[in-house]
Structure formats: C-alpha cells, structure tokens
Amino acid sequence: MNHLRHDWDAAEIAALFQLPFNDLLYQAHSLHREHFDPNQVQVSTLLSIKTGACPEDCGYCSQSARSETDIERERLLPLDEVLEKAQTAKTNGASRFCMGAAWRNPTDKNLEKVIDMIAGVKALGMETCVTLGMLTEAQSERLKIAGLDYYNHNLDTSPEHYGNIITTRTYQDRLDTLQHVRDAGIHVCSGGILGMGEARADRVSLLQQLANLPQHPESVPINMLVQVEGTPLHGVDKLEPLEFVRTIAVARILMPTSYVRLSAGRTEMSDETQALCFFAGANSIFYGEKLLTTANPDENHDQVLFEKLGINTTEQVPISTDALVPA
Ligand code: SAM
Ligand code: DTB
Ligand code: SF4
C-alpha cells in the first residue's frame, strides 16, 4: 500500500518513543483501529521440531551448544508426532502452526522432511510458519512451491548491539535470508527481542531496520527476553514493562498494517501489561503452554484474560466459562 513509509530516520522514531505515554498510545491505538478490528487477536502455536545442539552462539538461546543449559538434544521429530501436535493446537483454537528448528540453516535433505510437515499441517486447514535459520534463494523457492505461508527469521536487535549478542552469523546474513524469503513470495515474519541489555537507541534502530525493509514484514514478533539459566544473557537487567509497551506502540505506528505479535516473555508479564500491549497495537500472540523450550501462559489463563478484555481470536478459542474469574 502506497501510504506505508519505508524512509523513517532514527530521530523521528526516537521522538515517538519520547512522547508522553498517553499521547503515544492514543496515536498507536487510533492507527490500529484504522487497519484492524481492535478486539481481534490472531493466535499461533509453536512447536520445536528439532531441539538443542545448535552450532550458533546466540547469547539468549537455550538451544545453543555453547550455552550451559540442560536442554536435551533431540532429532527431527517424526511426522506423525508433529501432526498430532498440530491437530491439538487447531482443536484449541490456533489458526497458525509454527515449527522451529535449532539449525544454523537446513540441509536440503532436512528441508524435504520439513516440507512433508508443512503439507500435513496445511491439510488440517491451518496456516503454516517455519523458522529454520538461514535460507538460500533456492530453498526459499522450494518452500514457496510446497505452500508455506510464513517464514520467521528475526533481526533480533539493532545492527549496533548485534555483535554483543551473536558472532556466528552477521546482520547482513539475516537481511539476505529475509530478502530470499520475500523474493520467493512467502509472507515474512520478522522482529526481535527486547531486554537484552540494549539501550533505547537500539530499540529505535531495530524498528527502523524492520520498517525500512522494502516491504514491511506481514508479522512482527516482539519478544521479551526469557532469561534462561546457563545462557550468557541470564541475569541481564530487566526491561521496564512500560518501555516494552512503548516499543509495541512505536512498532504499530511504523508498520500500521502488520500483525504485531506479543511473543515470548508473557509468563512474566502481568495481565495489565499485556492489556496495555493489546491497546498499543499488539494483535497476535503465541498460544499454548510451551514456546520452543520455555513456558508460555497456560491456555486457561489466556482464555480468562481474553474474556476479561472482550478479545476474540481469529479462530474462536473455546472458552470454558467455569474457569472465569468474576469481574
Ligand atoms: N534457529 C533458527 C534461528 O535462530 O533463526 C530458528 C529458531 S530461533 C529459537 C527463533 C527466534 O526465537 C530467535 O531468532 C529469537 O528471536 C527467539 N528466541 C530464542 N530464544 C529466546 C529467548 N530466550 N527469549 C526470547 N526470544 C527468544
Ligand atoms: C519468535 O519471534 N519467537 C518465537 C518464534 N519466533 C520462533 C520463539 C520464542 C522462543 C522463546 C524461548 C524458548 O522457548 O526457547
Ligand atoms: Fe540456534 Fe536459533 Fe538458538 Fe541461535 S536462536 S542458537 S540459531 S536455535
């Protein structure tokens, strides 16, 4: 759409961050209403299809072989197990099933196995998303032909802070993968993680990178770091929740037609913080009690929260009324 901007400079974005909180949220929420139903949230469920022993050194990640975590290394899950999990996610109300693998990049042989999973999940009537690390042009085209709907590949942080977090692949490698996915015609899911010891200038710079891509990602996951014991980032200073909300609001203003996903980190967030995130423009979540290796709020808690806020999901989540807490 031609009213979308791709030429944001850092000073303009920093000025948004500096607005009084109410002015920022009013602006973000108004824009949100222009483009979306404000009471509708899209729901995705995650599954780790290959866990642990990753050769990359991402400082936040429980699955890096260099982290001293007690994650059990697993082989690629068998197809029937994946489809069983997808069916459960569908029954519980998820409209999209996202499969993640702890790889630097997929081998062509493994890619074919993942393609069987994509076909199986699509046959259940769900949207598909995978996150497998770096992709070549040819692999992206292969995934497009297989019918993949979304590819998740995060920029994670600003180019300036990046080297403090990951050394085994470059920022440009990430931009290249995003370009391959975009060129192949697959929807792009790309965002980052907050609370990794970055400054506000880094949050500005991350959002600038995402908004100034030739096309905005259709889906922008904003994760709050889940601090995992044994990873280099365990113990880093936590980000103030209101600064997290501000970042969601600025993402909504810069990318008004993208789905902004309130992603990892919800277990440590109050209902009130999450409600503010939805007001600020977040309109997607991960639903289900596990992310990839760490916990997510249990489904019952989310159903109660949605009921309290009057939020509907794009595929109706069955609400068990007896679980409701009186207002
Ligand atoms: N190995 C692939 C890759 O890194 O591209 C795909 C899986 S990786 C786990 C997907 C994304 O999850 C990472 O890019 C990161 O943004 C997010 N992530 C991983 N660990 C996290 C944590 N502890 N807290 C928040 N987000 C995390
Ligand atoms: C994204 O941005 N967040 C998800 C998904 N994309 C793949 C992953 C969150 C992982 C949180 C840590 C874990 O469970 O290991
Ligand atoms: Fe590997 Fe992905 Fe974890 Fe980095 S984020 S260590 S690439 S699984």
Side-chain angles (χ1 to χ4, degrees), residues 6-18:
H6 302 270
D7 60 352
W8 291 91
D9 71 44
E12 284 177 286
I13 302 173
L16 290 171
F17 267 95
Q18 276 157 19

Side-chain angles (χ1 to χ4, degrees), residues 46 48 60-63 71 98-101 129-131 152-154 156 189-193 220-226 228 261 263-265 286 290-296:
L46 268 174
S48 179
Y60 48 77
C61 188
S62 63
Q63 305 195 70
I71 296 290
C98 307
M99 296 169 274
C129 176
V130 295
T131 178
N152 167 244
H153 197 66
N154 291 338
D156 278 354
C189 171
S190 186
I193 310 176
V220 180
I222 306 289
N223 297 274
M224 179 77 107
L225 175 69
V226 179
V228 181
R261 182 172 305 123
S263 304
F286 286 120
K290 208 166 164 204
L291 292 166
L292 290 174
T293 66
T294 66
N296 202 34

Side-chain angles (χ1 to χ4, degrees), residues 187-246:
H187 293 135
V188 171
C189 171
S190 186
I193 310 176
L194 310 183
M196 298 200 295
E198 78 282 353
R200 180 181 273 181
D202 295 301
R203 294 186 280 280
V204 166
S205 176
L206 166 66
L207 293 183
Q208 183 187 20
Q209 288 288 328
L210 292 166
N212 289 351
L213 288 169
Q215 225 180 303
H216 295 163
E218 281 77 7
S219 166
V220 180
I222 306 289
N223 297 274
M224 179 77 107
L225 175 69
V226 179
Q227 295 202 9
V228 181
E229 238 182 283
T231 59
L233 285 176
H234 183 247
V236 72
D237 283 349
K238 295 208 169 143
L239 188 71
E240 229 224 288
L242 292 180
E243 179 69 8
F244 187 90
V245 179
R246 276 184 186 273

Side-chain angles (χ1 to χ4, degrees), residues 22-266:
N22 286 342
D23 289 345
L24 175 61
L25 260 67
Y26 180 71
Q27 196 176 319
H29 186 73
S30 304
L31 211 44
H32 187 50
R33 277 183 179 262
E34 275 180 35
H35 297 282
F36 292 99
D37 175 343
N39 304 311
Q40 193 94 30
V41 165
Q42 186 276 330
V43 164
S44 296
T45 290
L46 268 174
L47 176 68
S48 179
I49 55 169
K50 189 268 166 185
T51 306
C54 183
E56 302 289 86
D57 70 351
C58 312
Y60 48 77
C61 188
S62 63
Q63 305 195 70
S64 166
R66 312 203 191 174
S67 293
E68 287 166 15
T69 53
D70 47 17
I71 296 290
E72 286 291 317
R73 183 198 175 128
E74 280 173 15
R75 299 172 64 86
L76 189 59
L77 291 184
L79 179 63
D80 55 348
E81 201 174 313
V82 172
L83 296 186
E84 208 177 288
K85 292 270 173 30
Q87 180 57 59
T88 306
K90 185 182 174 181
T91 308
N92 288 339
S95 61
R96 190 177 308 159
F97 195 62
C98 307
M99 296 169 274
W103 290 325
R104 174 176 165 80
N105 53 265
T107 60
D108 287 343
K109 197 172 151 206
N110 277 333
L111 196 70
E112 292 307 316
K113 293 187 184 159
V114 174
I115 281 170
D116 291 342
M117 297 174 186
I118 293 168
V121 173
K122 279 185 82 75
L124 295 175
M126 299 180 86
E127 289 183 316
T128 52
C129 176
V130 295
T131 178
L132 314 171
M134 294 188 283
L135 289 186
T136 63
E137 256 177 81
Q139 289 178 321
S140 307
E141 283 159 15
R142 180 76 190 93
L143 285 169
K144 174 66 186 173
I145 292 165
L148 178 69
D149 297 303
Y150 287 82
Y151 195 81
N152 167 244
H153 197 66
N154 291 338
L155 291 179
D156 278 354
T157 188
S158 67
E160 297 77 20
H161 191 51
Y162 186 82
N164 301 323
I165 308 292
I166 300 146
T167 68
T168 49
R169 73 169 77 148
T170 66
Y171 211 78
Q172 189 58 47
D173 288 334
R174 290 181 187 263
L175 292 169
D176 290 347
T177 292
L178 291 181
Q179 190 61 51
H180 297 154
V181 171
R182 181 56 84 197
D183 289 346
I186 300 168
H187 293 135
V188 171
C189 171
S190 186
I193 310 176
L194 310 183
M196 298 200 295
E198 78 282 353
R200 180 181 273 181
D202 295 301
R203 294 186 280 280
V204 166
S205 176
L206 166 66
L207 293 183
Q208 183 187 20
Q209 288 288 328
L210 292 166
N212 289 351
L213 288 169
Q215 225 180 303
H216 295 163
E218 281 77 7
S219 166
V220 180
I222 306 289
N223 297 274
M224 179 77 107
L225 175 69
V226 179
Q227 295 202 9
V228 181
E229 238 182 283
T231 59
L233 285 176
H234 183 247
V236 72
D237 283 349
K238 295 208 169 143
L239 188 71
E240 229 224 288
L242 292 180
E243 179 69 8
F244 187 90
V245 179
R246 276 184 186 273
T247 311
I248 297 268
V250 176
R252 168 53 64 225
I253 293 168
L254 302 189
M255 295 168 278
T257 61
S258 301
Y259 279 82
V260 174
R261 182 172 305 123
L262 173 54
S263 304
R266 290 196 303 118

